[in-house]
Amino acid sequence: MPKKSSNEFSLVTSGLCHSFGKGAATLEVLHDIDFTMRRGELVILMGPSGSGKTTLLTLVACLRRIQKGHVQLLGQELSGASEKILTRMRQRLGFIFQAHNLHSSLTSIQNVRMGLEVHGPDALRNWQKTCGRVLELVGLGDRLDYFPAQLSGGQKQRVAVARALVGCPDIIFADEPTAALDMVTGRQVVELLRKLADQRGTSIFMVTHDHRILEYADRIVKMEDGRIIEDSSAKILMK
Amino acid sequence: MTGLLTRLLGRLPIGWLQLFHNKTRLFAAVGGVMFANILIFMQLGFLGALRETSVLAHRTWNADIVIVSSDFQSLRTVNSLPRSRMHQALQIEGVKDVVPVYFSTINWTDPGTNQIINFRAMGVPAASAAFLDTSIQEQVRKLSEPLTALVDVETRQLDPKIVETIKSKGICEIEVKGRKMHLTGTFSQGASIDIDGTLIMSDQTFFEHFPSRSSGTPSLIFVQCESAGPDSLQPIVEALNRVFPETDVKAYTKDESVVVEHKFQTKQTPVGFVFSFGVVIGFIVGLVIVYQVLTTDVQDHLAEYATFKAIGYRQKFFSGIILEEALSLAALGFVPGMIVSLALYHLAETKTALPMEMPWSRLVLVFILTVAMCAGSGMVATKKLSHAQPADLF
Ligand SMILES: Nc1ncnc2c1ncn2[C@@H]1O[C@H](COP(=O)(O)OP(=O)(O)O)[C@@H](O)[C@H]1O
Ligand SMILES: [Mg+2]
């Protein structure tokens, strides 16, 4: 069991392993991961393709069942947790995926509303104002009633960011959020996340290949073949 | 509409929005539901017509109780019974009068139109009061005139000239199997599935046309009672059944005989079976079409649903979306399906002379069937989502 107190850390893993496939075809892709993240910290996870970054992210973000090892997320043990607990935990998280996954039948503001609706009817009071403000924050104040098909790739990704932010999550998980964006918008998105970490104490866990955004990180973790090979403060790494 | 549904559901009506976003799919699905609805409505319409027309005759009878042979199943195949039962019946307390009634069928070929008409011939004593309708009853008295009969104006494929001749000249002469028959009057009853129309004649004329039949063997005996309340009829029926040897005849109240006829027509005739089967087929067709549409829709939105699941929506939410789609489809398909069916009822009525009515109960029944059909398909369609981990859905 992890010894560290859950007050200081928003995420603690110990001895986390994961394998895909059954029987002889079983392949372990994560080996014995020990990892922690403080509140308000922006951590960037890097590593070659296939090294297990997405698998790690989905495990600690309640999107996949834990097979072996322990994960404490916001003080809650995820290993062996019921679907009900997992669902409740997911509501405290924000997700930004590589693909925007917006609902094509909903407008921008309706898509953002979905991030609010999950918190129940109380959260929906003044929803238009709340959602509109977050969309303004990502620079889409003039695209509220556009359908995803009418938006550019970068705009869609920013709507997805707005959807992740609107519920004021405790942790944001982002899997290559800037992959589909040009440099300027990519920077804008990460700057936004950085501000959130500083002002609201939101923890940010971001998988990326993008070297241009490393300067925003508090810590950079490197993975290879399912192991963490480097875990260092960004300042040291930059030198 | 979206605003209204949002307020009603307390959430965005994603199912509804999703349905309208893909117009082609919407039309296919609504068309499917509509088609299934029309199928079900038509079969129920014919089934209803079969039931209703099979007892049109019963409704004209001035009888509280009918006595039939013990193997009686339906007016369609009626066996004769001994006349002596009539006198036995008169001995029972509460019985006011009895009337012997004779049934047979005639295939008449109209020489003018070459149309074969399948008549049910009904013979009653001219002096009896066998009909509730006074306009028929008055004409029956005049049937003591030999070889005269009354014809149903609603007979299927009846040449209108015959009715015109009766109206203008008071008589129309036809020939039935080499015997003359004078049609001297008309009444209005209606065709059934197996009988095109009815001829009413005196018992004497009936024996002329059916030499093998005699006054000793009526087909049915009408029993008229002093008091016709259900409470007073039941003891008389019981008394009658006690007096008669079990193997010979039995007595029903008129209402019971209607129920017996309905049951026979819908359960024991091939036509009844075909129509009942058609209802089931219509239901299955609708089920399959809606299921197909909804599973495709779930498949297409898997990534979006996975995202919703990832941000914390419960299984209930997805079932809600699909149910919403299913119910929207039910409502959107039902209304045009009903309108087209009403038009087809009208068409069928003019073509077949069968009364095609749309009772409220049938509208409610078919709507419930439609909702069940759509909701059932929807529930099966969401199965795929329930066990998947969000990460596997991307
Ligand atoms: N659903 C899956 N089933 C089987 N193998 C998988 C699955 N997802 C990922 N893998 C494998 O696990 C390894 C790590 O994948 P992933 O975590 O996606 O890496 P990264 O995100 O670093 O590119 C890869 O070898 C990949 O082939
Ligand atoms: Mg990946």
Side-chain angles (χ1 to χ4, degrees):
Chain A
M1 285 299 289
K3 296 165 249 60
K4 288 154 186 165
S5 111
S6 57
N7 269 340
E8 190 185 349
F9 295 95
S10 48
L11 175 65
V12 181
T13 81
S14 64
L16 184 63
C17 301
H18 197 82
S19 18
F20 287 110
K22 282 199 173 80
T26 308
L27 180 71
E28 193 173 271
V29 298
L30 287 184
H31 320 284
D32 210 14
I33 304 278
D34 291 318
F35 172 79
T36 56
M37 186 162 74
R38 285 170 201 278
R39 289 188 190 270
E41 197 174 30
L42 195 162
V43 177
I44 283 183
L45 182 65
M46 298 187 76
S49 190
S51 57
K53 305 182 296 294
T54 298
T55 309
L56 177 59
L57 181 138
T58 53
L59 277 172
V60 299
C62 312
L63 301 183
R64 225 181 252 295
R65 286 206 169 276
I66 315 283
Q67 296 170 343
K68 193 164 164 236
H70 294 277
V71 176
Q72 260 198 7
L73 183 71
L74 301 168
Q76 168 70 47
E77 176 62 53
L78 297 187
S79 170
S82 67
E83 185 60 32
K84 204 169 147 192
I85 290 177
L86 290 179
T87 304
R88 211 169 50 220
M89 289 307 293
R90 285 177 202 141
Q91 294 173 0
R92 301 176 60 185
L93 311 177
F95 292 100
I96 305 166
F97 303 99
Q98 192 168 359
H100 55 83
N101 290 338
L102 297 180
H103 197 296
S104 56
S105 317
L106 303 182
T107 60
S108 305
I109 193 159
Q110 288 172 331
N111 263 298
V112 174
R113 184 190 145 122
M114 292 311 292
L116 211 53
E117 212 172 86
V118 74
H119 297 290
D122 286 345
L124 285 176
R125 249 176 251 136
N126 287 324
W127 71 274
Q128 265 137 328
K129 221 166 123 197
T130 316
C131 297
R133 217 175 34 226
V134 182
L135 275 167
E136 246 161 62
L137 199 67
V138 297
L140 290 174
D142 54 345
R143 295 285 189 278
L144 301 188
D145 295 319
Y146 283 50
F147 285 100
Q150 299 166 307
L151 298 173
S152 73
Q155 288 170 330
K156 280 187 267 203
Q157 189 61 302
R158 280 186 279 157
V159 175
V161 171
R163 180 177 61 191
L165 300 188
V166 75
C168 298
D170 295 321
I171 309 184
I172 291 177
F173 291 97
D175 194 353
E176 309 199 24
T178 58
L181 303 183
D182 61 68
M183 201 176 85
V184 178
T185 39
R187 255 176 191 282
Q188 279 171 354
V189 167
V190 180
E191 265 168 27
L192 203 68
L193 294 177
R194 177 71 258 179
K195 214 155 64 190
L196 229 51
D198 292 340
Q199 291 173 0
R200 286 200 207 152
T202 311
S203 311
I204 312 221
F205 184 98
M206 180 158 37
V207 171
T208 188
H209 284 303
D210 194 346
H211 286 271
R212 297 166 302 192
I213 57 176
L214 294 186
E215 59 182 289
Y216 294 100
D218 295 315
R219 245 171 74 207
I220 293 168
V221 178
K222 286 195 172 175
M223 271 185 86
E224 228 174 85
D225 291 332
R227 286 177 213 284
I228 292 178
I229 55 160
E230 206 179 305
D231 185 344
S232 53
S233 154
K235 308 280 155 29
I236 302 161
L237 197 90
M238 294 299 281
K239 275 173 194 167
Chain B
M1 194 70 201
T2 306
L4 180 75
L5 284 173
T6 308
R7 197 149 301 168
L8 222 62
L9 294 167
R11 62 167 171 81
L12 284 176
I14 294 184
W16 175 267
L17 292 169
Q18 214 164 275
L19 217 49
F20 273 84
H21 200 73
N22 190 336
K23 297 281 194 307
T24 336
R25 183 170 298 159
L26 178 68
F27 278 117
V30 169
V33 174
M34 196 174 127
F35 178 73
N37 264 322
I38 293 172
L39 217 57
I40 293 174
F41 269 128
M42 291 320 285
Q43 306 296 327
L44 285 177
F46 286 125
L47 204 59
L50 174 71
R51 278 164 60 90
E52 185 47 37
T53 58
S54 69
V55 298
L56 285 176
H58 300 57
R59 303 212 191 282
T60 65
W61 299 346
N62 180 20
D64 299 316
I65 294 171
V66 291
I67 300 174
V68 294
S69 66
S70 59
D71 59 354
F72 177 87
Q73 282 191 303
S74 156
L75 215 53
R76 189 193 268 207
T77 53
V78 52
N79 280 330
S80 52
L81 43 97
R83 190 185 173 88
S84 53
R85 304 284 166 247
M86 218 168 87
H87 305 298
Q88 281 176 291
L90 268 177
Q91 308 297 316
I92 307 276
E93 196 179 315
V95 172
K96 195 170 68 185
D97 203 357
V98 290
V99 181
V101 185
Y102 305 84
F103 283 114
S104 191
T105 54
I106 300 174
N107 281 323
W108 176 62
T109 311
D110 185 343
T113 60
N114 253 339
Q115 193 74 45
I116 301 176
I117 297 182
N118 178 22
F119 279 115
R120 171 181 289 145
M122 180 184 186
V124 293
S128 68
F131 297 95
L132 289 171
D133 189 333
T134 47
S135 73
I136 300 180
Q137 195 50 53
E138 269 163 35
Q139 298 187 77
V140 166
R141 266 179 224 124
K142 292 181 221 144
L143 292 177
S144 51
E145 207 51 43
L147 297 180
T148 55
L150 309 176
V151 64
D152 180 359
V153 289
E154 287 180 57
T155 299
R156 192 182 289 129
Q157 306 288 4
L158 184 70
D159 189 351
K161 278 192 214 128
I162 293 177
V163 181
E164 276 166 34
T165 312
I166 297 171
K167 287 247 163 75
S168 58
K169 298 197 184 136
I171 190 163
C172 176
E173 187 179 310
I174 60 168
E175 203 176 280
V176 179
K177 298 252 160 71
R179 286 187 185 79
K180 289 225 169 345
M181 184 181 280
H182 301 284
L183 301 177
T184 56
T186 59
F187 63 100
S188 179
Q189 180 179 309
S192 68
I193 298 258
D194 48 341
I195 295 288
D196 293 326
T198 303
L199 290 171
I200 298 176
M201 55 192 76
S202 72
D203 50 357
Q204 297 310 314
T205 308
F206 185 88
F207 303 144
E208 286 287 332
H209 279 280
F210 305 98
S212 65
R213 301 290 295 274
S214 72
S215 64
T217 56
S219 307
L220 239 64
I221 296 168
F222 287 2
V223 178
Q224 294 153 3
C225 299
E226 311 272 1
S227 144
D231 293 340
S232 51
L233 285 186
Q234 209 52 49
I236 300 177
V237 168
E238 278 162 25
L240 283 169
N241 280 329
R242 227 176 299 125
V243 168
F244 300 139
E246 262 175 55
T247 50
D248 189 344
V249 295
K250 58 189 171 189
Y252 289 121
T253 65
K254 186 169 132 183
D255 291 344
E256 280 170 352
S257 75
V258 166
V259 173
V260 167
E261 191 72 37
H262 277 164
K263 214 162 138 188
F264 176 82
Q265 294 288 348
T266 48
K267 299 257 162 69
Q268 274 166 280
T269 62
V271 203
F273 176 76
V274 166
F275 291 145
S276 310
F277 190 63
V279 174
V280 177
I281 291 293
F283 186 77
I284 292 175
V285 165
L287 209 65
V288 169
I289 294 177
V290 176
Y291 173 73
Q292 198 59 43
V293 167
L294 291 182
T295 36
T296 319
D297 199 63
V298 168
Q299 199 66 43
D300 284 1
H301 291 96
L302 222 46
E304 283 107 315
Y305 292 158
T307 309
F308 289 147
K309 204 165 181 176
I311 61 182
Y313 283 95
R314 291 164 223 274
Q315 184 58 28
K316 217 173 68 191
F317 171 79
F318 302 105
S319 313
I321 292 181
I322 308 298
L323 200 62
E324 181 189 319
E325 282 192 287
L327 295 185
S328 308
L329 284 180
L332 291 174
F334 179 79
V335 175
M338 178 189 73
I339 293 170
V340 172
S341 299
L342 281 172
L344 288 175
Y345 272 25
H346 185 72
L347 187 74
E349 200 164 65
T350 51
K351 287 272 177 217
T352 62
L354 291 172
M356 300 285 280
E357 270 153 31
M358 181 73 88
W360 281 106
S361 58
R362 184 176 304 156
L363 288 178
V364 174
L365 172 75
V366 174
F367 186 66
I368 290 173
L369 276 181
T370 310
V371 168
M373 173 178 94
C374 293
S377 311
M379 284 300 106
V380 181
T382 47
K383 266 263 152 61
K384 193 177 162 63
L385 273 171
S386 58
H387 300 296
Q389 296 183 40
D392 291 331
L393 293 173
F394 287 104

